[in-house]
Amino acid sequence: QVQLVESGGGWVQPGASLRLSCTASGRTGSTYTMSWFRQAPGKGRDFVAAFRSSAGGSETHYATSVKGRFTISRYNAKNTIYLQMNSMRPEDTAVYYCARVDTRLILSRAWDGENYDFWGQGTQVTVSS
């Protein structure tokens, strides 16, 4: 079993930056996909960014809406990922969720939250003036 704990949400003005963290604990390995999703009020859950890791290396992927503004990264070998959000916009307002599955998903499956086994509790991000 894996537990995910997110932190770093809050309120920022448009154009500002914010960094989210997600730490995994429990039975974790070096092969996994850890991603960020978000859900705005009244909308469905959307893919934001993915970090795919295995012994052969790692790759990152982004939704078109955040590419060039957001960066997903790993702090250590397996336990923590970050989402650095720059040039934030009001449309980035949402509850952000960290998700993990202990396999390296192909990209088309990494976009779909149904393919993840573990989820964090979510952290609210609000962008407004």
Side-chain angles (χ1 to χ4, degrees):
Q1 191 74 7
V2 175
Q3 296 79 41
L4 301 177
V5 177
E6 301 131 336
S7 62
W11 172 83
V12 295
Q13 293 185 329
S17 300
L18 201 62
R19 189 178 76 167
L20 305 181
S21 302
C22 175
T23 298
S25 61
R27 296 174 60 89
T28 59
S30 59
T31 297
Y32 59 86
T33 302
M34 286 184 74
S35 297
W36 290 95
F37 291 80
R38 66 187 182 186
Q39 187 165 18
K43 297 186 177 181
R45 182 176 59 197
D46 292 328
F47 169 80
V48 176
F51 191 100
R52 301 190 299 153
S53 176
S54 66
S58 61
E59 293 179 344
T60 58
H61 306 278
Y62 300 92
T64 301
S65 60
V66 306
K67 191 174 294 185
R69 300 189 298 122
F70 291 11
T71 302
I72 188 171
S73 62
R74 178 175 60 189
Y75 171 68
N76 53 23
K78 57 185 180 181
N79 286 344
T80 301
I81 61 167
Y82 297 110
L83 184 68
Q84 177 68 42
M85 303 183 290
N86 299 328
S87 302
M88 296 188 71
R89 305 167 181 169
E91 53 264 39
D92 295 322
T93 295
V95 178
Y96 284 69
Y97 296 93
C98 176
R100 177 178 171 123
V101 60
D102 289 336
T103 186
R104 183 171 173 145
L105 295 171
I106 61 174
L107 186 55
S108 61
R109 293 178 64 83
W111 295 337
D112 186 350
E114 295 298 321
N115 295 312
Y116 292 80
D117 294 327
F118 307 106
W119 290 83
Q121 79 284 1
T123 185
Q124 176 69 46
V125 172
T126 303
V127 185
S128 71
S129 54

